[in-house]
Amino acid sequence: MDKKVSALLNEQINKEFYSAYLYLDMANYYTRVGLDGFANWFEIQAQEEQAHGMLMYEFLHNNDEVVTLEAIAKPDKVYQKYDEPLREALSHEKYVTDSINTIYTAAREVQDYRTMQFLDWFIKEQGEEEKNANDLITKMELFGNDPKGLYLLDSELAARVFTAPSLTL
Ligand code: FEO
């Protein structure tokens, strides 16, 4: 594999695990303020991010590449309002989308079709992740200012369950 592509995939493993940590910290915030459904939603989001990191880890190993695990940064955001983690999540997903696109561009430049095909799933997934983040903000704007609305939204988010990504390497 091209060294630049391999290095970018290695960095992306770290970004996915950082994403897991960031979302776990959002779950941490929502648990503290008593919104257990929002906390559940972000705990599951954290599990998804770990799964994304593991897919990249396995893909590199399957291609006989060296995996280097770097330190995961501390999530350092302080949230004051219920909608702040939601807005941060959308902005973070846009950052991840850019990052995946950068790897795709590097793979395309060296005609690494295998990595491009691997990344196809992530490109689609980023579309879904941004949509989910956007939808949550919209729902919060519509219902979050009313206690009953917030309770129902929290109950809806409590129902989310983790399903492992259906991607075969
Ligand atoms: Fe792994 Fe939220 O993208």
Side-chain angles (χ1 to χ4, degrees):
M1 189 184 288
D2 175 73
K3 284 199 173 9
K4 184 179 170 190
V5 174
S6 178
L8 286 171
L9 283 167
N10 256 292
E11 279 172 30
Q12 193 62 35
I13 294 175
N14 188 276
K15 288 177 185 176
E16 298 294 338
F17 277 91
Y18 173 74
S19 301
Y21 225 37
L22 180 71
Y23 291 139
L24 187 60
D25 196 43
M26 291 177 184
N28 183 28
Y29 162 76
Y30 282 122
T31 299
R32 264 198 338 267
V33 297
L35 289 169
D36 293 344
F38 282 77
N40 173 65
W41 200 94
F42 279 103
E43 279 169 20
I44 285 168
Q45 195 60 30
Q47 281 181 275
E48 283 206 357
E49 299 302 351
Q50 281 187 51
H52 295 167
M54 287 307 296
L55 285 168
M56 286 164 183
Y57 169 91
E58 284 165 24
F59 179 73
L60 282 170
H61 275 300
N62 287 354
N63 286 279
D64 203 24
E65 288 296 306
V66 173
V67 171
T68 308
L69 299 174
E70 303 289 353
I72 301 167
K74 177 181 176 177
D76 59 358
K77 304 280 177 209
V78 178
Y79 306 114
Q80 309 281 359
K81 294 187 188 149
Y82 298 155
D83 68 334
E84 284 174 1
L86 309 181
R87 295 181 196 283
E88 174 61 26
L90 176 59
S91 128
H92 183 70
E93 284 307 326
K94 287 182 175 172
Y95 161 76
V96 173
T97 297
D98 284 347
S99 186
I100 298 281
N101 288 347
T102 298
I103 310 173
Y104 195 95
T105 301
R108 193 178 54 190
E109 276 168 5
V110 295
Q111 298 182 328
D112 179 353
Y113 300 113
R114 193 183 302 158
T115 298
M116 287 160 71
Q117 192 178 51
F118 170 69
L119 290 175
D120 280 345
W121 184 87
F122 285 90
I123 289 165
K124 184 164 178 286
E125 174 72 6
Q126 282 313 118
E128 285 172 23
E129 301 251 292
E130 284 188 35
K131 181 186 184 305
N132 288 342
N134 240 324
D135 286 354
L136 268 185
I137 292 169
T138 304
K139 285 182 179 179
M140 194 60 157
E141 284 172 352
L142 283 170
F143 312 119
N145 292 323
D146 167 65
K148 282 184 197 153
L150 184 62
Y151 178 79
L152 287 173
L153 184 53
D154 191 58
S155 304
E156 178 190 321
L157 299 183
R160 187 182 187 193
V161 291
F162 175 67
T163 38
S166 57
L167 170 62
T168 48
L169 297 178

